[in-house]
Amino acid sequence: MRFTCLLLLSFTACTALAAPAQRVISLSPHMTELAYAAGLGDKMVAASEYSDYPAEALELERVANHRGIKLERILALQPDLILAWKSGNPPREMAKLEQLGFNIFYSTSKELPDIANTIERLGQYANSPKQAQQVASDYRQQLAKLTAQYQNKTKVRYFYQISAAPMITVADGHWPTQVFQVCGGENIFAASKAPYPQVSQEQVVIRQPEIIFGTSHANTNVAMWQAWQGKIPAVDNQHVFTVTSDWLNRPTPRTIKAIKQVCDHLDAVRAQRQAQD
């Protein structure tokens, strides 16, 4: 009898997880974007600060930011599904939500294929999984095409500047180095022990990047590197570029746009190489 009850409880839990959600809250911008991609847009009732894509997300109430989560407001909204970022949302507050019995879906996108997998998993909570399946399929096809196009390209040494003061970059194996790898980028801080190391301009000079990438948040521009004219190939050849932050830093279908943008810049370096040979 006890075994039968356990089986019934297990079946009930699985069924609940597969049932369409009616009230969804997202606690990170990229999860908001993934929710809309998976067909959950009409179920969203609140989201985190900076959830700005698609445009409809701008109308959602804000219940989280970099300082924390509004637990009381989340309790009042009574979501049946909360979308969270495992390494980005505060563990203590997430533990409280778990203890209160909320159904929490954690983003675990660490590699490029994970984006499509996550969308498909989210699709089980939509009224129909068809949109999620189509978006995931389109993403996989575009990723496969770009991977094949660039897999034999010559390597280009790059530096990705996440912020300016302090100057932060990223080691291999941590997002978004996967984007650069598709294009044949070779990270000058690949072997750093810290996932997001703080570095100096002098350390960048020593490693001689052929191209420097930054975002508007990092205030990366040619002017800030101008003092190193004649000492860094990227500066000498005017290969200092600003990339679209949301495309690059958020693991969503728009990552494809980031790959194309980065690949185009790396191709410009390769073209200049050939012209100089």
Side-chain angles (χ1 to χ4, degrees), residues 201-237:
Q201 289 186 342
E202 290 78 8
Q203 288 175 301
V204 175
V205 173
I206 290 171
R207 288 165 173 78
Q208 294 286 285
E210 297 175 88
I211 187 168
I212 294 173
F213 291 101
T215 67
S216 57
H217 302 304
N219 297 317
T220 305
N221 52 57
V222 174
M224 74 171 289
W225 290 100
Q226 208 58 45
W228 302 102
Q229 186 75 39
K231 297 181 180 179
I232 305 178
V235 177
D236 296 344
N237 295 314

PDB file of all heavy atoms in Angstrom, residues 201-237:
ATOM      1  N   GLN A 201      45.992  46.924 -17.564  1.00  0.00           N
ATOM      2  CA  GLN A 201      46.331  47.211 -18.951  1.00  0.00           C
ATOM      3  C   GLN A 201      47.697  46.633 -19.301  1.00  0.00           C
ATOM      4  O   GLN A 201      47.914  46.151 -20.420  1.00  0.00           O
ATOM      5  CB  GLN A 201      46.298  48.715 -19.211  1.00  0.00           C
ATOM      6  CG  GLN A 201      44.897  49.303 -19.200  1.00  0.00           C
ATOM      7  CD  GLN A 201      44.859  50.762 -19.601  1.00  0.00           C
ATOM      8  OE1 GLN A 201      45.874  51.460 -19.576  1.00  0.00           O
ATOM      9  NE2 GLN A 201      43.685  51.248 -19.979  1.00  0.00           N
ATOM     10  N   GLU A 202      48.614  46.664 -18.332  1.00  0.00           N
ATOM     11  CA  GLU A 202      49.956  46.121 -18.568  1.00  0.00           C
ATOM     12  C   GLU A 202      49.914  44.618 -18.866  1.00  0.00           C
ATOM     13  O   GLU A 202      50.650  44.125 -19.728  1.00  0.00           O
ATOM     14  CB  GLU A 202      50.858  46.384 -17.350  1.00  0.00           C
ATOM     15  CG  GLU A 202      51.258  47.836 -17.138  1.00  0.00           C
ATOM     16  CD  GLU A 202      50.151  48.684 -16.517  1.00  0.00           C
ATOM     17  OE1 GLU A 202      49.114  48.105 -16.099  1.00  0.00           O
ATOM     18  OE2 GLU A 202      50.320  49.915 -16.430  1.00  0.00           O
ATOM     19  N   GLN A 203      49.021  43.897 -18.177  1.00  0.00           N
ATOM     20  CA  GLN A 203      48.883  42.459 -18.439  1.00  0.00           C
ATOM     21  C   GLN A 203      48.335  42.208 -19.843  1.00  0.00           C
ATOM     22  O   GLN A 203      48.700  41.228 -20.483  1.00  0.00           O
ATOM     23  CB  GLN A 203      47.964  41.828 -17.392  1.00  0.00           C
ATOM     24  CG  GLN A 203      48.583  41.720 -16.010  1.00  0.00           C
ATOM     25  CD  GLN A 203      47.593  41.199 -14.990  1.00  0.00           C
ATOM     26  OE1 GLN A 203      46.537  41.806 -14.766  1.00  0.00           O
ATOM     27  NE2 GLN A 203      47.905  40.078 -14.364  1.00  0.00           N
ATOM     28  N   VAL A 204      47.460  43.098 -20.277  1.00  0.00           N
ATOM     29  CA  VAL A 204      46.918  42.984 -21.632  1.00  0.00           C
ATOM     30  C   VAL A 204      48.022  43.222 -22.650  1.00  0.00           C
ATOM     31  O   VAL A 204      48.143  42.485 -23.642  1.00  0.00           O
ATOM     32  CB  VAL A 204      45.760  43.988 -21.844  1.00  0.00           C
ATOM     33  CG1 VAL A 204      45.283  43.949 -23.298  1.00  0.00           C
ATOM     34  CG2 VAL A 204      44.598  43.675 -20.907  1.00  0.00           C
ATOM     35  N   VAL A 205      48.847  44.235 -22.403  1.00  0.00           N
ATOM     36  CA  VAL A 205      49.945  44.565 -23.326  1.00  0.00           C
ATOM     37  C   VAL A 205      50.892  43.383 -23.485  1.00  0.00           C
ATOM     38  O   VAL A 205      51.289  43.026 -24.603  1.00  0.00           O
ATOM     39  CB  VAL A 205      50.725  45.799 -22.823  1.00  0.00           C
ATOM     40  CG1 VAL A 205      51.968  46.037 -23.685  1.00  0.00           C
ATOM     41  CG2 VAL A 205      49.839  47.041 -22.845  1.00  0.00           C
ATOM     42  N   ILE A 206      51.231  42.747 -22.380  1.00  0.00           N
ATOM     43  CA  ILE A 206      52.153  41.606 -22.413  1.00  0.00           C
ATOM     44  C   ILE A 206      51.624  40.481 -23.300  1.00  0.00           C
ATOM     45  O   ILE A 206      52.376  39.827 -24.017  1.00  0.00           O
ATOM     46  CB  ILE A 206      52.392  41.073 -20.983  1.00  0.00           C
ATOM     47  CG1 ILE A 206      53.218  42.090 -20.178  1.00  0.00           C
ATOM     48  CG2 ILE A 206      53.105  39.724 -21.012  1.00  0.00           C
ATOM     49  CD1 ILE A 206      53.309  41.759 -18.704  1.00  0.00           C
ATOM     50  N   ARG A 207      50.307  40.292 -23.305  1.00  0.00           N
ATOM     51  CA  ARG A 207      49.702  39.173 -24.037  1.00  0.00           C
ATOM     52  C   ARG A 207      49.390  39.498 -25.502  1.00  0.00           C
ATOM     53  O   ARG A 207      48.963  38.641 -26.254  1.00  0.00           O
ATOM     54  CB  ARG A 207      48.436  38.710 -23.303  1.00  0.00           C
ATOM     55  CG  ARG A 207      48.765  37.968 -22.008  1.00  0.00           C
ATOM     56  CD  ARG A 207      47.547  37.835 -21.108  1.00  0.00           C
ATOM     57  NE  ARG A 207      47.815  37.002 -19.952  1.00  0.00           N
ATOM     58  CZ  ARG A 207      48.485  37.394 -18.871  1.00  0.00           C
ATOM     59  NH1 ARG A 207      48.969  38.636 -18.821  1.00  0.00           N
ATOM     60  NH2 ARG A 207      48.685  36.572 -17.857  1.00  0.00           N
ATOM     61  N   GLN A 208      49.568  40.736 -25.908  1.00  0.00           N
ATOM     62  CA  GLN A 208      49.512  41.143 -27.315  1.00  0.00           C
ATOM     63  C   GLN A 208      48.251  40.694 -28.070  1.00  0.00           C
ATOM     64  O   GLN A 208      48.322  39.955 -29.066  1.00  0.00           O
ATOM     65  CB  GLN A 208      50.754  40.622 -28.054  1.00  0.00           C
ATOM     66  CG  GLN A 208      52.071  41.242 -27.603  1.00  0.00           C
ATOM     67  CD  GLN A 208      52.215  42.671 -28.122  1.00  0.00           C
ATOM     68  OE1 GLN A 208      52.484  42.887 -29.294  1.00  0.00           O
ATOM     69  NE2 GLN A 208      52.025  43.640 -27.242  1.00  0.00           N
ATOM     70  N   PRO A 209      47.095  41.138 -27.656  1.00  0.00           N
ATOM     71  CA  PRO A 209      45.879  40.771 -28.401  1.00  0.00           C
ATOM     72  C   PRO A 209      45.841  41.438 -29.773  1.00  0.00           C
ATOM     73  O   PRO A 209      46.279  42.577 -29.933  1.00  0.00           O
ATOM     74  CB  PRO A 209      44.754  41.302 -27.507  1.00  0.00           C
ATOM     75  CG  PRO A 209      45.374  42.461 -26.789  1.00  0.00           C
ATOM     76  CD  PRO A 209      46.785  42.024 -26.521  1.00  0.00           C
ATOM     77  N   GLU A 210      45.294  40.708 -30.732  1.00  0.00           N
ATOM     78  CA  GLU A 210      45.114  41.273 -32.076  1.00  0.00           C
ATOM     79  C   GLU A 210      43.819  42.063 -32.180  1.00  0.00           C
ATOM     80  O   GLU A 210      43.636  42.843 -33.116  1.00  0.00           O
ATOM     81  CB  GLU A 210      45.102  40.144 -33.108  1.00  0.00           C
ATOM     82  CG  GLU A 210      46.391  39.353 -33.191  1.00  0.00           C
ATOM     83  CD  GLU A 210      46.255  38.188 -34.145  1.00  0.00           C
ATOM     84  OE1 GLU A 210      46.503  38.380 -35.349  1.00  0.00           O
ATOM     85  OE2 GLU A 210      45.870  37.091 -33.669  1.00  0.00           O
ATOM     86  N   ILE A 211      42.914  41.820 -31.224  1.00  0.00           N
ATOM     87  CA  ILE A 211      41.632  42.504 -31.234  1.00  0.00           C
ATOM     88  C   ILE A 211      41.135  42.644 -29.796  1.00  0.00           C
ATOM     89  O   ILE A 211      41.378  41.766 -28.956  1.00  0.00           O
ATOM     90  CB  ILE A 211      40.607  41.723 -32.101  1.00  0.00           C
ATOM     91  CG1 ILE A 211      39.311  42.523 -32.267  1.00  0.00           C
ATOM     92  CG2 ILE A 211      40.343  40.350 -31.556  1.00  0.00           C
ATOM     93  CD1 ILE A 211      38.389  41.942 -33.345  1.00  0.00           C
ATOM     94  N   ILE A 212      40.495  43.770 -29.502  1.00  0.00           N
ATOM     95  CA  ILE A 212      39.933  44.021 -28.180  1.00  0.00           C
ATOM     96  C   ILE A 212      38.427  44.238 -28.325  1.00  0.00           C
ATOM     97  O   ILE A 212      37.983  45.034 -29.155  1.00  0.00           O
ATOM     98  CB  ILE A 212      40.576  45.255 -27.516  1.00  0.00           C
ATOM     99  CG1 ILE A 212      42.062  44.986 -27.226  1.00  0.00           C
ATOM    100  CG2 ILE A 212      39.847  45.615 -26.216  1.00  0.00           C
ATOM    101  CD1 ILE A 212      42.817  46.205 -26.714  1.00  0.00           C
ATOM    102  N   PHE A 213      37.669  43.507 -27.514  1.00  0.00           N
ATOM    103  CA  PHE A 213      36.217  43.652 -27.495  1.00  0.00           C
ATOM    104  C   PHE A 213      35.784  44.251 -26.163  1.00  0.00           C
ATOM    105  O   PHE A 213      36.355  43.952 -25.114  1.00  0.00           O
ATOM    106  CB  PHE A 213      35.521  42.292 -27.637  1.00  0.00           C
ATOM    107  CG  PHE A 213      35.670  41.652 -28.981  1.00  0.00           C
ATOM    108  CD1 PHE A 213      36.591  40.642 -29.194  1.00  0.00           C
ATOM    109  CD2 PHE A 213      34.858  42.049 -30.036  1.00  0.00           C
ATOM    110  CE1 PHE A 213      36.709  40.035 -30.439  1.00  0.00           C
ATOM    111  CE2 PHE A 213      34.965  41.444 -31.287  1.00  0.00           C
ATOM    112  CZ  PHE A 213      35.896  40.439 -31.488  1.00  0.00           C
ATOM    113  N   GLY A 214      34.755  45.063 -26.232  1.00  0.00           N
ATOM    114  CA  GLY A 214      34.149  45.594 -25.017  1.00  0.00           C
ATOM    115  C   GLY A 214      32.687  45.869 -25.284  1.00  0.00           C
ATOM    116  O   GLY A 214      32.200  45.697 -26.403  1.00  0.00           O
ATOM    117  N   THR A 215      31.969  46.273 -24.255  1.00  0.00           N
ATOM    118  CA  THR A 215      30.568  46.646 -24.407  1.00  0.00           C
ATOM    119  C   THR A 215      30.400  48.081 -23.942  1.00  0.00           C
ATOM    120  O   THR A 215      31.316  48.677 -23.384  1.00  0.00           O
ATOM    121  CB  THR A 215      29.652  45.736 -23.569  1.00  0.00           C
ATOM    122  OG1 THR A 215      29.910  45.989 -22.173  1.00  0.00           O
ATOM    123  CG2 THR A 215      29.918  44.263 -23.868  1.00  0.00           C
ATOM    124  N   SER A 216      29.223  48.625 -24.162  1.00  0.00           N
ATOM    125  CA  SER A 216      28.959  49.997 -23.730  1.00  0.00           C
ATOM    126  C   SER A 216      29.108  50.122 -22.215  1.00  0.00           C
ATOM    127  O   SER A 216      29.504  51.164 -21.699  1.00  0.00           O
ATOM    128  CB  SER A 216      27.554  50.424 -24.152  1.00  0.00           C
ATOM    129  OG  SER A 216      26.583  49.524 -23.628  1.00  0.00           O
ATOM    130  N   HIS A 217      28.837  49.038 -21.485  1.00  0.00           N
ATOM    131  CA  HIS A 217      28.967  49.051 -20.029  1.00  0.00           C
ATOM    132  C   HIS A 217      30.435  49.166 -19.607  1.00  0.00           C
ATOM    133  O   HIS A 217      30.737  49.694 -18.547  1.00  0.00           O
ATOM    134  CB  HIS A 217      28.367  47.783 -19.422  1.00  0.00           C
ATOM    135  CG  HIS A 217      26.928  47.578 -19.748  1.00  0.00           C
ATOM    136  ND1 HIS A 217      25.958  48.515 -19.475  1.00  0.00           N
ATOM    137  CD2 HIS A 217      26.280  46.546 -20.345  1.00  0.00           C
ATOM    138  CE1 HIS A 217      24.771  48.065 -19.870  1.00  0.00           C
ATOM    139  NE2 HIS A 217      24.940  46.879 -20.403  1.00  0.00           N
ATOM    140  N   ALA A 218      31.334  48.671 -20.443  1.00  0.00           N
ATOM    141  CA  ALA A 218      32.762  48.686 -20.105  1.00  0.00           C
ATOM    142  C   ALA A 218      33.446  49.975 -20.534  1.00  0.00           C
ATOM    143  O   ALA A 218      34.601  50.212 -20.184  1.00  0.00           O
ATOM    144  CB  ALA A 218      33.463  47.494 -20.758  1.00  0.00           C
ATOM    145  N   ASN A 219      32.741  50.801 -21.300  1.00  0.00           N
ATOM    146  CA  ASN A 219      33.328  52.038 -21.830  1.00  0.00           C
ATOM    147  C   ASN A 219      34.606  51.776 -22.617  1.00  0.00           C
ATOM    148  O   ASN A 219      35.553  52.551 -22.578  1.00  0.00           O
ATOM    149  CB  ASN A 219      33.616  53.026 -20.684  1.00  0.00           C
ATOM    150  CG  ASN A 219      32.354  53.466 -19.978  1.00  0.00           C
ATOM    151  OD1 ASN A 219      31.346  53.749 -20.618  1.00  0.00           O
ATOM    152  ND2 ASN A 219      32.395  53.504 -18.656  1.00  0.00           N
ATOM    153  N   THR A 220      34.630  50.646 -23.313  1.00  0.00           N
ATOM    154  CA  THR A 220      35.798  50.304 -24.109  1.00  0.00           C
ATOM    155  C   THR A 220      35.809  51.119 -25.396  1.00  0.00           C
ATOM    156  O   THR A 220      34.835  51.148 -26.125  1.00  0.00           O
ATOM    157  CB  THR A 220      35.783  48.801 -24.465  1.00  0.00           C
ATOM    158  OG1 THR A 220      35.679  48.052 -23.267  1.00  0.00           O
ATOM    159  CG2 THR A 220      37.061  48.410 -25.185  1.00  0.00           C
ATOM    160  N   ASN A 221      36.897  51.780 -25.672  1.00  0.00           N
ATOM    161  CA  ASN A 221      37.041  52.529 -26.916  1.00  0.00           C
ATOM    162  C   ASN A 221      38.508  52.697 -27.243  1.00  0.00           C
ATOM    163  O   ASN A 221      39.396  52.421 -26.418  1.00  0.00           O
ATOM    164  CB  ASN A 221      36.337  53.892 -26.833  1.00  0.00           C
ATOM    165  CG  ASN A 221      36.766  54.669 -25.605  1.00  0.00           C
ATOM    166  OD1 ASN A 221      37.951  54.919 -25.429  1.00  0.00           O
ATOM    167  ND2 ASN A 221      35.822  55.040 -24.768  1.00  0.00           N
ATOM    168  N   VAL A 222      38.770  53.155 -28.429  1.00  0.00           N
ATOM    169  CA  VAL A 222      40.153  53.310 -28.879  1.00  0.00           C
ATOM    170  C   VAL A 222      40.900  54.305 -27.999  1.00  0.00           C
ATOM    171  O   VAL A 222      42.075  54.107 -27.672  1.00  0.00           O
ATOM    172  CB  VAL A 222      40.186  53.756 -30.356  1.00  0.00           C
ATOM    173  CG1 VAL A 222      41.614  54.059 -30.789  1.00  0.00           C
ATOM    174  CG2 VAL A 222      39.572  52.689 -31.248  1.00  0.00           C
ATOM    175  N   ALA A 223      40.209  55.369 -27.575  1.00  0.00           N
ATOM    176  CA  ALA A 223      40.860  56.436 -26.809  1.00  0.00           C
ATOM    177  C   ALA A 223      41.501  55.921 -25.521  1.00  0.00           C
ATOM    178  O   ALA A 223      42.616  56.305 -25.174  1.00  0.00           O
ATOM    179  CB  ALA A 223      39.854  57.539 -26.505  1.00  0.00           C
ATOM    180  N   MET A 224      40.809  55.033 -24.791  1.00  0.00           N
ATOM    181  CA  MET A 224      41.345  54.577 -23.507  1.00  0.00           C
ATOM    182  C   MET A 224      42.587  53.697 -23.687  1.00  0.00           C
ATOM    183  O   MET A 224      43.368  53.532 -22.761  1.00  0.00           O
ATOM    184  CB  MET A 224      40.273  53.832 -22.705  1.00  0.00           C
ATOM    185  CG  MET A 224      39.927  52.439 -23.189  1.00  0.00           C
ATOM    186  SD  MET A 224      38.842  51.560 -22.030  1.00  0.00           S
ATOM    187  CE  MET A 224      39.992  51.260 -20.686  1.00  0.00           C
ATOM    188  N   TRP A 225      42.739  53.146 -24.883  1.00  0.00           N
ATOM    189  CA  TRP A 225      43.904  52.305 -25.162  1.00  0.00           C
ATOM    190  C   TRP A 225      44.987  53.048 -25.942  1.00  0.00           C
ATOM    191  O   TRP A 225      46.035  52.489 -26.241  1.00  0.00           O
ATOM    192  CB  TRP A 225      43.476  51.055 -25.947  1.00  0.00           C
ATOM    193  CG  TRP A 225      42.676  50.097 -25.116  1.00  0.00           C
ATOM    194  CD1 TRP A 225      41.333  49.945 -25.093  1.00  0.00           C
ATOM    195  CD2 TRP A 225      43.198  49.161 -24.161  1.00  0.00           C
ATOM    196  NE1 TRP A 225      40.966  48.982 -24.183  1.00  0.00           N
ATOM    197  CE2 TRP A 225      42.090  48.482 -23.604  1.00  0.00           C
ATOM    198  CE3 TRP A 225      44.490  48.843 -23.733  1.00  0.00           C
ATOM    199  CZ2 TRP A 225      42.232  47.496 -22.624  1.00  0.00           C
ATOM    200  CZ3 TRP A 225      44.637  47.861 -22.768  1.00  0.00           C
ATOM    201  CH2 TRP A 225      43.511  47.186 -22.222  1.00  0.00           C
ATOM    202  N   GLN A 226      44.738  54.309 -26.259  1.00  0.00           N
ATOM    203  CA  GLN A 226      45.627  55.052 -27.141  1.00  0.00           C
ATOM    204  C   GLN A 226      47.041  55.205 -26.576  1.00  0.00           C
ATOM    205  O   GLN A 226      48.009  55.310 -27.331  1.00  0.00           O
ATOM    206  CB  GLN A 226      45.047  56.446 -27.437  1.00  0.00           C
ATOM    207  CG  GLN A 226      45.465  57.022 -28.788  1.00  0.00           C
ATOM    208  CD  GLN A 226      45.066  56.127 -29.950  1.00  0.00           C
ATOM    209  OE1 GLN A 226      43.954  55.619 -30.004  1.00  0.00           O
ATOM    210  NE2 GLN A 226      45.983  55.909 -30.882  1.00  0.00           N
ATOM    211  N   ALA A 227      47.160  55.201 -25.251  1.00  0.00           N
ATOM    212  CA  ALA A 227      48.483  55.332 -24.628  1.00  0.00           C
ATOM    213  C   ALA A 227      49.404  54.167 -24.981  1.00  0.00           C
ATOM    214  O   ALA A 227      50.634  54.279 -24.854  1.00  0.00           O
ATOM    215  CB  ALA A 227      48.327  55.425 -23.113  1.00  0.00           C
ATOM    216  N   TRP A 228      48.814  53.077 -25.464  1.00  0.00           N
ATOM    217  CA  TRP A 228      49.592  51.888 -25.789  1.00  0.00           C
ATOM    218  C   TRP A 228      49.830  51.754 -27.295  1.00  0.00           C
ATOM    219  O   TRP A 228      50.153  50.680 -27.788  1.00  0.00           O
ATOM    220  CB  TRP A 228      48.902  50.640 -25.247  1.00  0.00           C
ATOM    221  CG  TRP A 228      48.696  50.690 -23.768  1.00  0.00           C
ATOM    222  CD1 TRP A 228      47.542  50.963 -23.101  1.00  0.00           C
ATOM    223  CD2 TRP A 228      49.697  50.484 -22.772  1.00  0.00           C
ATOM    224  NE1 TRP A 228      47.746  50.939 -21.745  1.00  0.00           N
ATOM    225  CE2 TRP A 228      49.063  50.648 -21.514  1.00  0.00           C
ATOM    226  CE3 TRP A 228      51.064  50.183 -22.816  1.00  0.00           C
ATOM    227  CZ2 TRP A 228      49.754  50.516 -20.302  1.00  0.00           C
ATOM    228  CZ3 TRP A 228      51.744  50.053 -21.615  1.00  0.00           C
ATOM    229  CH2 TRP A 228      51.092  50.224 -20.382  1.00  0.00           C
ATOM    230  N   GLN A 229      49.654  52.852 -28.001  1.00  0.00           N
ATOM    231  CA  GLN A 229      49.936  52.858 -29.447  1.00  0.00           C
ATOM    232  C   GLN A 229      51.372  52.389 -29.698  1.00  0.00           C
ATOM    233  O   GLN A 229      52.312  52.825 -29.041  1.00  0.00           O
ATOM    234  CB  GLN A 229      49.773  54.274 -30.003  1.00  0.00           C
ATOM    235  CG  GLN A 229      49.896  54.379 -31.516  1.00  0.00           C
ATOM    236  CD  GLN A 229      48.662  53.859 -32.234  1.00  0.00           C
ATOM    237  OE1 GLN A 229      47.545  54.087 -31.777  1.00  0.00           O
ATOM    238  NE2 GLN A 229      48.845  53.179 -33.341  1.00  0.00           N
ATOM    239  N   GLY A 230      51.518  51.471 -30.627  1.00  0.00           N
ATOM    240  CA  GLY A 230      52.839  50.919 -30.926  1.00  0.00           C
ATOM    241  C   GLY A 230      53.217  49.733 -30.060  1.00  0.00           C
ATOM    242  O   GLY A 230      54.273  49.136 -30.267  1.00  0.00           O
ATOM    243  N   LYS A 231      52.330  49.377 -29.096  1.00  0.00           N
ATOM    244  CA  LYS A 231      52.649  48.283 -28.180  1.00  0.00           C
ATOM    245  C   LYS A 231      51.616  47.159 -28.189  1.00  0.00           C
ATOM    246  O   LYS A 231      51.877  46.070 -27.653  1.00  0.00           O
ATOM    247  CB  LYS A 231      52.796  48.826 -26.754  1.00  0.00           C
ATOM    248  CG  LYS A 231      53.949  49.821 -26.619  1.00  0.00           C
ATOM    249  CD  LYS A 231      54.082  50.329 -25.197  1.00  0.00           C
ATOM    250  CE  LYS A 231      55.244  51.325 -25.093  1.00  0.00           C
ATOM    251  NZ  LYS A 231      55.398  51.858 -23.720  1.00  0.00           N
ATOM    252  N   ILE A 232      50.428  47.429 -28.749  1.00  0.00           N
ATOM    253  CA  ILE A 232      49.386  46.401 -28.847  1.00  0.00           C
ATOM    254  C   ILE A 232      48.897  46.341 -30.296  1.00  0.00           C
ATOM    255  O   ILE A 232      48.437  47.354 -30.829  1.00  0.00           O
ATOM    256  CB  ILE A 232      48.180  46.706 -27.931  1.00  0.00           C
ATOM    257  CG1 ILE A 232      48.614  46.893 -26.480  1.00  0.00           C
ATOM    258  CG2 ILE A 232      47.158  45.572 -28.007  1.00  0.00           C
ATOM    259  CD1 ILE A 232      47.458  47.236 -25.540  1.00  0.00           C
ATOM    260  N   PRO A 233      48.964  45.182 -30.945  1.00  0.00           N
ATOM    261  CA  PRO A 233      48.488  45.065 -32.329  1.00  0.00           C
ATOM    262  C   PRO A 233      47.050  45.536 -32.520  1.00  0.00           C
ATOM    263  O   PRO A 233      46.736  46.167 -33.529  1.00  0.00           O
ATOM    264  CB  PRO A 233      48.623  43.564 -32.622  1.00  0.00           C
ATOM    265  CG  PRO A 233      49.693  43.094 -31.700  1.00  0.00           C
ATOM    266  CD  PRO A 233      49.547  43.922 -30.452  1.00  0.00           C
ATOM    267  N   ALA A 234      46.166  45.234 -31.558  1.00  0.00           N
ATOM    268  CA  ALA A 234      44.760  45.631 -31.680  1.00  0.00           C
ATOM    269  C   ALA A 234      44.609  47.140 -31.786  1.00  0.00           C
ATOM    270  O   ALA A 234      43.772  47.644 -32.547  1.00  0.00           O
ATOM    271  CB  ALA A 234      43.967  45.115 -30.475  1.00  0.00           C
ATOM    272  N   VAL A 235      45.437  47.877 -31.043  1.00  0.00           N
ATOM    273  CA  VAL A 235      45.374  49.338 -31.066  1.00  0.00           C
ATOM    274  C   VAL A 235      46.003  49.877 -32.347  1.00  0.00           C
ATOM    275  O   VAL A 235      45.443  50.755 -33.010  1.00  0.00           O
ATOM    276  CB  VAL A 235      46.080  49.932 -29.831  1.00  0.00           C
ATOM    277  CG1 VAL A 235      46.075  51.465 -29.892  1.00  0.00           C
ATOM    278  CG2 VAL A 235      45.399  49.451 -28.552  1.00  0.00           C
ATOM    279  N   ASP A 236      47.145  49.339 -32.705  1.00  0.00           N
ATOM    280  CA  ASP A 236      47.844  49.802 -33.914  1.00  0.00           C
ATOM    281  C   ASP A 236      46.982  49.643 -35.158  1.00  0.00           C
ATOM    282  O   ASP A 236      47.005  50.488 -36.062  1.00  0.00           O
ATOM    283  CB  ASP A 236      49.157  49.025 -34.091  1.00  0.00           C
ATOM    284  CG  ASP A 236      50.144  49.295 -32.963  1.00  0.00           C
ATOM    285  OD1 ASP A 236      49.941  50.292 -32.240  1.00  0.00           O
ATOM    286  OD2 ASP A 236      51.095  48.513 -32.801  1.00  0.00           O
ATOM    287  N   ASN A 237      46.215  48.557 -35.211  1.00  0.00           N
ATOM    288  CA  ASN A 237      45.408  48.267 -36.401  1.00  0.00           C
ATOM    289  C   ASN A 237      43.954  48.715 -36.259  1.00  0.00           C
ATOM    290  O   ASN A 237      43.113  48.385 -37.097  1.00  0.00           O
ATOM    291  CB  ASN A 237      45.455  46.770 -36.702  1.00  0.00           C
ATOM    292  CG  ASN A 237      46.846  46.307 -37.080  1.00  0.00           C
ATOM    293  OD1 ASN A 237      47.523  46.942 -37.888  1.00  0.00           O
ATOM    294  ND2 ASN A 237      47.300  45.204 -36.483  1.00  0.00           N
TER     295      ASN A 237
END
